[in-house]
Amino acid sequence: MNGFSPKITRRHFGALLAGSAFTLAAPAILRADTGPRLVVIGGGFGGASAARFARINYPDVNVTLIEPYDSFVTCPYGNLILGGRRELPQITHSYDGLRARGVDIVQNWAKDIDPVAKQVTLADDTQVAYDKLIVSPGIGLRWDAIEGYDEAASEIFPHAWMGGDGSQISILRRQLEELPEGGVVGLAIPPNPFRCPPGPYERISMIAHHLKQHNPRAKILAFDAKDGFSKQGLFQEGWEELYGDLIEWIPASEDGTIVAVDPQEKVFISEFGERHKVDVGNVIPPQYAAAIARDTGLADESGWVPVDPLTFAAGTAPDIHVIGDANIGAPMPKSGYVANSTAKQAVASAIADLRGESPPQNPVYFNTCYSHVGEEYGISVAAIFRLDDDGEIAATPDSGGVSPSGPLSEQAHNRRREAEYADAWYDSITTDMFS
Amino acid sequence: MSLLSQALRGGALALLLGAFAPVGAAQAEEIRTPMIAQGCAGCHGQSGAGMGAAPRIAGYGRDAFIATWEAFRDDERPATIMNRIAPGYTDEEVAELADYFSQLR
């Protein structure tokens, strides 16, 4: 049901509206035809939030969302599929809610941007004109970074780090179910910066949760290209208490960096040449901004896009605002919540500029990242970001931070509440994107 | 733009959308959400309507909202996460949040 079929739907109102109550209304009235044109590339946490926010707050603005897939599979909560606690349909979201709000959904790839003519070129060479463009394309995987790890290899060693059509997370789930008794699950975890800093460690937790119930003699070897990670103390405390020696985390300083893989032999090869045989391998490769951001020159030599922290306008093109994982937003993490939060400031700034007004001043960008460590065991990190005196993004002092540490005997209530709050977050934020 | 489309965008569309959304949410959207309150929607639901375990904050009395916020900020109220979030906002911002959420029903 989730798949890419390149077809232009933006003038096919009849098809858009089929099956909804709106079929009785004349379709053209659902959207203004004379207002400014806001075009959004990418229908994920940044792009869907931007499109919805724009329709609610600026009803005179025409909003077009260009997205290659017909529905969105979230990366957040994908790890719960591995833990056996969610199924794919529960993390798959339709664009029908945005259509009902009058967002023009164009199911296609954006392959080029002309910042002078102000138009986006689609895969079939159709042009989409814009007055303001929001680019929220997410990440690209660096297929050149780990020797032997290419797109074909990801069918054997799935990355499961982009939602796509849901096939990657489904492959990994199936492999875990078929893991031989006492088998080895290897993970290769990338250096910073990458999408969802706590994600690999929640993944380790959810895989352990599955194995503890179904394959308790199995082992997880988590090879990391770093020596530290998000919420490290809390994760390791939880792993020790819930999973004992089922999990082994190997940091970069202990030769944890995986530089090559041999998918046929099912081997990970470390920086110092150690060959590690695994039964299931999850390779999360190094990342950069998605192709549309790199191919058009929006990204700099780092592979990510520099932006104005107040408006998210790209340094190279003032009418293009780049949000979500593709931009350089540090110290903000590449998280869904940050994409959602900054999407609103980017849209408000873009519309203000069209009206000859100033962007909203003194923005507050909000983030909370919840992670599930086990059943009824959630942890979080929160931060409130602002612009400092130099106009750079900075965490607000003396606020935010991680959940309190401590043994489950003392923290059971907090851990259970945070697991419940994580579920509330998922439902709330996806409502804020798609309803 | 035709008069019909203006009228529809102003009123009838809201009614149509209202058929899909809870009445409270449809009403709430008529009160413009200030930017400072946008972050709240990531957990507390649309217009503070609550979501699962995250409590409803729409309709919270203005003074009670501020008092609760201050109790979180000073760690004087049991909390898992709001005691970490509350210190990140200024008194003026908390007042703006209180004004907004207290207007909602």
Side-chain angles (χ1 to χ4, degrees):
Chain A
M1 64 170 188
N2 181 284
F4 172 58
S5 72
K7 59 176 191 260
I8 304 295
T9 55
R10 92 193 148 96
R11 296 294 170 214
H12 296 181
F13 291 105
L16 283 180
L17 297 163
S20 80
F22 293 103
T23 45
L24 292 175
I29 62 170
L30 288 175
R31 48 194 293 278
D33 287 321
T34 54
R37 297 160 301 184
L38 183 76
V39 174
V40 181
I41 297 177
F45 279 83
S49 300
R52 183 176 183 276
F53 177 84
R55 285 298 300 158
I56 290 173
N57 289 281
Y58 309 100
D60 61 315
V61 173
N62 293 294
V63 181
T64 300
L65 176 63
I66 302 169
E67 161 61 43
Y69 292 97
D70 66 3
S71 49
F72 183 69
V73 176
T74 60
C75 282
Y77 273 60
N79 290 329
L80 275 77
I81 291 181
L82 305 180
R85 299 175 49 196
R86 289 287 189 285
E87 299 290 337
L88 189 58
Q90 293 173 285
I91 63 163
T92 303
H93 300 268
S94 156
Y95 291 105
D96 287 348
L98 293 180
R99 287 191 179 98
R101 286 195 183 273
V103 177
D104 195 355
I105 308 282
V106 176
Q107 194 188 334
N108 210 317
W109 285 99
K111 72 170 183 186
D112 201 9
I113 300 165
D114 182 339
V116 178
K118 295 214 253 185
Q119 54 190 21
V120 178
T121 305
L122 305 180
D124 61 1
D125 293 323
T126 312
Q127 313 278 354
V128 180
Y130 65 83
D131 295 303
K132 289 285 181 181
L133 180 64
I134 305 285
V135 178
S136 187
I139 56 163
L141 301 176
R142 288 184 182 258
W143 296 113
D144 58 344
I146 296 177
E147 192 185 333
Y149 195 68
D150 55 18
E151 207 152 358
S154 74
E155 300 289 313
I156 299 168
F157 285 160
H159 54 80
W161 214 246
M162 299 200 292
D165 61 2
S167 61
Q168 279 281 307
I169 198 77
S170 300
I171 292 171
L172 188 53
R173 170 65 192 171
R174 193 176 64 244
Q175 290 179 342
L176 291 171
E177 288 170 351
E178 293 168 355
L179 181 74
E181 200 189 329
V184 173
V185 178
L187 288 93
I189 302 170
N192 293 322
F194 66 102
R195 162 178 283 177
C196 189
Y201 312 96
E202 183 190 61
R203 175 165 292 178
I204 292 168
S205 308
M206 286 296 97
I207 292 174
H209 176 74
H210 164 79
L211 295 176
K212 188 181 176 185
Q213 298 169 71
H214 301 287
N215 196 343
R217 290 176 43 245
K219 177 100 182 156
I220 297 172
L221 297 179
F223 298 97
D224 207 324
K226 304 180 293 302
D227 280 334
F229 58 85
S230 171
K231 293 181 266 187
Q232 182 171 355
L234 290 168
F235 272 115
Q236 290 182 322
E237 188 176 271
W239 292 347
E240 196 177 334
E241 188 149 22
L242 298 178
Y243 308 117
D245 55 7
L246 200 155
I247 298 168
E248 186 179 346
W249 176 69
I250 302 113
S253 58
E254 293 173 26
D255 197 22
T257 305
I258 297 302
V259 296
V261 295
D262 183 338
Q264 299 308 323
E265 297 294 323
K266 295 216 177 151
V267 168
F268 283 8
I269 301 156
S270 75
E271 193 175 10
F272 294 108
E274 284 292 323
R275 295 173 65 86
H276 299 277
K277 181 85 171 75
V278 299
D279 297 293
V280 169
N282 171 211
V283 177
I284 306 168
Q287 297 152 27
Y288 44 23
I292 185 74
R294 288 177 288 111
D295 295 349
T296 52
L298 289 168
D300 68 13
E301 64 281 358
S302 73
W304 307 98
V305 182
V307 290
D308 179 336
L310 177 63
T311 64
F312 297 91
T316 51
D319 292 317
I320 302 177
H321 299 252
V322 182
I323 56 171
D325 295 346
N327 73 21
I328 299 172
M332 297 191 295
K334 296 187 184 299
S335 76
Y337 213 144
V338 165
N340 167 272
S341 179
T342 54
K344 297 169 179 177
Q345 176 73 7
V347 169
S349 300
I351 303 301
D353 190 57
L354 286 175
R355 293 175 174 174
E357 298 166 3
S358 300
Q361 300 298 303
N362 305 314
V364 173
Y365 307 132
F366 187 82
N367 185 61
T368 298
C369 292
Y370 287 103
S371 301
H372 290 276
V373 182
E375 190 94 49
E376 297 191 336
Y377 196 124
I379 58 174
S380 66
V381 58
I384 298 100
F385 296 97
R386 301 164 183 278
L387 305 188
D388 64 17
D389 293 343
D390 299 324
E392 300 296 325
I393 296 170
T396 306
D398 305 317
S399 69
V402 297
S403 311
S405 75
L408 204 46
S409 55
E410 290 170 12
Q411 295 291 343
H413 173 76
N414 281 340
R415 302 292 185 251
R416 189 177 66 252
R417 288 304 275 171
E418 294 219 84
E420 292 167 358
Y421 290 155
D423 293 350
W425 168 81
Y426 186 84
D427 291 341
S428 282
I429 202 145
T430 52
T431 301
D432 203 44
M433 295 161 65
F434 295 113
S435 72
Chain B
M1 192 193 316
S2 73
L3 286 173
L4 176 64
S5 72
Q6 282 184 3
L8 281 164
R9 279 197 300 117
L13 179 56
L15 287 174
L16 278 168
L17 290 172
F20 288 84
V23 172
Q27 287 173 341
E29 280 182 13
E30 292 166 13
I31 299 171
R32 194 184 164 102
T33 308
M35 290 299 277
I36 193 71
Q38 287 289 344
C40 309
C43 290
H44 287 279
Q46 290 298 297
S47 307
M51 179 66 84
R56 178 184 179 85
I57 48 176
Y60 220 104
R62 187 181 185 282
D63 294 344
F65 187 100
I66 291 171
T68 302
W69 195 282
E70 288 175 348
F72 279 134
R73 183 192 282 163
D74 299 337
D75 236 344
E76 288 170 354
R77 183 187 166 100
T80 54
I81 186 163
M82 278 308 297
N83 54 339
R84 286 177 269 150
I85 293 169
Y89 289 78
T90 66
D91 288 342
E92 292 72 26
E93 289 165 347
V94 175
E96 195 179 352
L97 292 172
D99 282 338
Y100 168 63
F101 286 111
S102 64
Q103 284 175 54
L104 301 175
R105 289 292 168 264

